[in-house]
Amino acid sequence: IKFAGDAMLCLFDTKMTSQKVKSTQDIFESGSPELKAALKEQLLRAMRCAEELHQISESVRKVDEVVLSLHVGIGAGKMRFVFVGGMHQRWEYLVTDQEKEGGPIFQMGLGEGNAEPGETAIHAIAYDLVSEEISKPQPVYDPKAKTEKERSTPIVYKLKKSKNSFPIPPKSLPPTLPDKDVYLVENFVPGAI
């Protein structure tokens, strides 16, 4: 989980970093079946997470007369993680797309930008991997499209409730960090926390 202003970025890692793919496009065009299956599993987890976050936000919508809402964008692909900082022993990690356009953060931005409060939208690239799990998605087209092909190709799909509430395989929680190793991560935690 990473915070960016009032947004929260949740990452679902496939743990398949040994796969030699140069870009997000490579994953979908020539990635191994194992990588695609791992990516599908994580997309289903992200969709389930979004579904549960919407349910939670419904129960706490109004706080001190302010209506809170949530809209979610989902993407998939290759990312870059960079550690920055060091001044005053403070560190931060930065998450970016591997390429200039079309990476997962770009995809999430398109999805989130096209989702209304209470909705989730998944980028068309990621949608192809999980389309059989989605019941009647609503396609969204690029209003700035210049060609007929672009105008007829969805950029994202708004998700409705899935057939089976986005099935995810059972998985154990990651191990917790032993107290003796907390010092390894404390320089990444903002002082306010």
Side-chain angles (χ1 to χ4, degrees):
I1 296 178
K2 179 85 176 130
F3 291 95
D6 67 346
M8 180 172 54
L9 180 63
C10 300
L11 307 173
F12 295 82
D13 190 358
T14 63
K15 305 287 186 211
M16 296 190 71
T17 54
S18 63
Q19 294 283 325
K20 302 295 181 206
V21 290
K22 295 178 183 166
S23 69
T24 295
Q25 187 173 353
D26 285 350
I27 293 170
F28 294 97
E29 290 179 358
S30 58
S32 71
E34 295 83 13
L35 178 58
K36 288 179 181 178
L39 197 53
K40 177 181 177 177
E41 178 182 322
Q42 297 311 324
L43 282 166
L44 290 171
R45 288 181 192 286
M47 290 161 42
R48 179 66 172 269
C49 179
E51 188 176 80
E52 290 185 18
L53 285 170
H54 286 305
Q55 289 172 0
I56 291 167
S57 73
E58 286 294 318
S59 67
V60 293
R61 283 189 68 85
K62 200 169 186 181
V63 176
D64 294 332
E65 302 305 313
V66 175
V67 177
L68 303 174
S69 63
L70 177 71
H71 52 137
V72 178
I74 297 177
K78 192 167 173 116
M79 301 178 78
R80 178 178 293 152
F81 300 87
V82 181
F83 292 100
V84 295
M87 191 76 133
H88 307 295
Q89 295 301 308
R90 303 309 302 166
W91 291 88
E92 185 69 45
Y93 69 93
L94 179 67
V95 182
T96 67
D97 282 333
Q98 187 75 14
E99 53 263 24
K100 288 183 182 178
E101 191 172 299
I105 294 177
F106 174 84
Q107 295 172 31
M108 286 185 286
L110 271 177
E112 181 269 336
N114 283 285
E116 299 295 323
E119 291 182 334
T120 297
I122 186 170
H123 193 274
I125 291 173
Y127 169 79
D128 287 342
L129 285 176
V130 293
S131 60
E132 71 276 1
E133 303 294 341
I134 300 172
S135 178
K136 299 180 184 170
Q138 176 188 349
V140 177
Y141 301 91
D142 186 353
K144 298 175 187 170
K146 294 181 172 104
T147 68
E148 183 58 38
K149 182 179 179 192
E150 289 173 341
R151 283 191 291 273
S152 64
T153 304
I155 55 172
V156 299
Y157 291 86
K158 290 184 180 183
L159 305 181
K160 295 183 175 17
K161 211 55 164 146
S162 74
K163 298 173 194 169
N164 302 313
S165 188
F166 302 126
I168 57 171
K171 188 172 186 177
S172 61
L173 293 173
T176 57
L177 189 65
D179 288 342
K180 68 179 183 59
D181 293 334
V182 168
Y183 77 94
L184 296 170
V185 296
E186 65 187 6
N187 288 336
F188 290 93
V189 179
I193 294 175

